Amino acid sequence: TRYGNQIINQRGHPIGSFYGLVAEGFFRDAADVAAHADQDGAAPGRIKFRDVDGDGQVTLADRTIIGSPHPDFTAGLDVGYRWRNFDASATFFGTFGNEIFDVQKEFYVFRNFSTNVRRDLLTDSWTPQNPNAKYPRLDVNDNYSHALSSYYIEDGSYIRLRNLQVGYNVPRSFGWIQSSRVYVQAENLFTITDYPGLDPSLPAAQIGGPAGDIRDQYRGIDRGAYPSNRTFSIGFVTNF
């Protein structure tokens, strides 16, 4: 994407693992900068990266596995209930332990208002009075903090009510209509997640390469996919 490739296939790690620098918060002050390994562009309020190989400087050689798009487990639950002429059914689905590389941060964090941003970028960016902020210091000269790193990694676990349907079986036949049922239905009614993006349920990326389709190697990267719709419908079912 804008700042490079976020994935790697490496022996001993899950296919399509996230790859980059390890972010360790923000530089607090000049003393923190001086005490840290040599890092290009280091300054108070900018992102601090770990010197993984211990050579005293932060370079591309310090990139490492920083996350996985693959869940520890997935689960689904179908439930139903019937009472007299009423019935209800619901379908839940969830994934747990997977992570998302939120590419959207390339724009809403590191473009400094050159594109649309989140509202809290004004109120929750680093300042000396707010050293534990959500975002680094607002700085148009910072061409370093946007490096691909664990700062982009978010928890992608979620539980979603995929479908809820409530129906009523009409007790009487009407002429040549033998039976009938009316129902109301909702899809994607709610999602429980800590993911701050639009939708933790990301579609498979339509990515190709010299070897052909590589969707299995490019998962969990949020490039701005359109979120799942919440839809409501009313239905009528009958037999003749």
Side-chain angles (χ1 to χ4, degrees):
T1 53
R2 187 177 186 87
Y3 299 127
N5 180 20
Q6 303 89 355
I7 64 170
I8 193 170
N9 294 325
Q10 192 173 90
R11 181 178 296 175
H13 295 277
I15 189 172
S17 293
F18 300 137
Y19 186 68
L21 299 172
V22 178
E24 297 187 306
F26 309 129
F27 287 106
R28 296 187 305 275
D29 48 35
D32 192 18
V33 173
H36 188 61
D38 184 26
Q39 176 180 319
D40 287 344
R46 294 181 179 179
I47 296 179
K48 180 196 302 184
F49 300 116
R50 181 183 300 170
D51 177 18
V52 172
D53 61 11
D55 66 352
Q57 56 185 344
V58 177
T59 66
L60 293 180
D62 293 300
R63 291 177 297 178
T64 186
I65 302 295
I66 54 176
S68 170
H70 305 291
D72 296 329
F73 67 97
T74 62
L77 176 65
D78 293 321
V79 295
Y81 181 75
R82 184 179 298 275
W83 180 74
R84 295 183 179 178
N85 290 341
F86 292 93
D87 62 85
S89 62
T91 298
F92 295 87
F93 179 78
T95 70
F96 307 90
N98 57 299
E99 293 168 308
I100 292 175
F101 196 104
D102 187 7
V103 171
Q104 296 302 290
K105 288 183 179 180
E106 293 183 355
F107 298 93
Y108 74 75
V109 176
F110 298 114
R111 294 300 303 280
N112 287 301
F113 302 99
S114 295
T115 57
N116 291 333
V117 299
R118 292 181 179 272
R119 181 169 52 189
D120 62 352
L121 189 65
L122 279 174
T123 59
D124 205 4
S125 291
W126 186 95
T127 66
Q129 296 74 33
N130 187 22
N132 298 316
K134 183 178 179 181
Y135 305 111
R137 180 177 182 174
L138 292 173
D139 184 354
V140 295
N141 297 313
D142 183 2
N143 294 315
Y144 306 94
S145 293
H146 61 61
L148 300 182
S149 73
S150 58
Y151 181 75
Y152 292 84
I153 302 295
E154 299 286 353
D155 181 9
S157 303
Y158 73 91
I159 299 174
R160 170 169 290 167
L161 177 55
R162 279 185 169 179
N163 183 276
L164 174 65
Q165 187 178 108
V166 177
Y168 179 73
N169 292 286
V170 180
R172 297 180 180 179
S173 62
F174 181 74
W176 42 271
I177 298 178
Q178 301 301 312
S179 62
S180 58
R181 178 176 176 269
V182 294
Y183 66 88
V184 293
Q185 178 173 280
E187 297 180 28
N188 302 320
L189 192 59
F190 66 81
T191 302
I192 301 173
T193 183
D194 289 330
Y195 181 58
L198 292 176
D199 191 347
S201 178
L202 301 176
Q206 301 299 314
I207 300 294
D213 189 345
I214 60 169
R215 283 176 292 178
D216 58 336
Q217 304 173 49
Y218 196 84
R219 302 180 63 85
I221 297 178
D222 189 353
R223 300 164 62 101
Y226 196 82
S228 302
N229 287 319
R230 180 183 298 139
T231 60
F232 299 89
S233 57
I234 300 175
F236 177 77
V237 181
T238 187
N239 295 322
F240 299 93

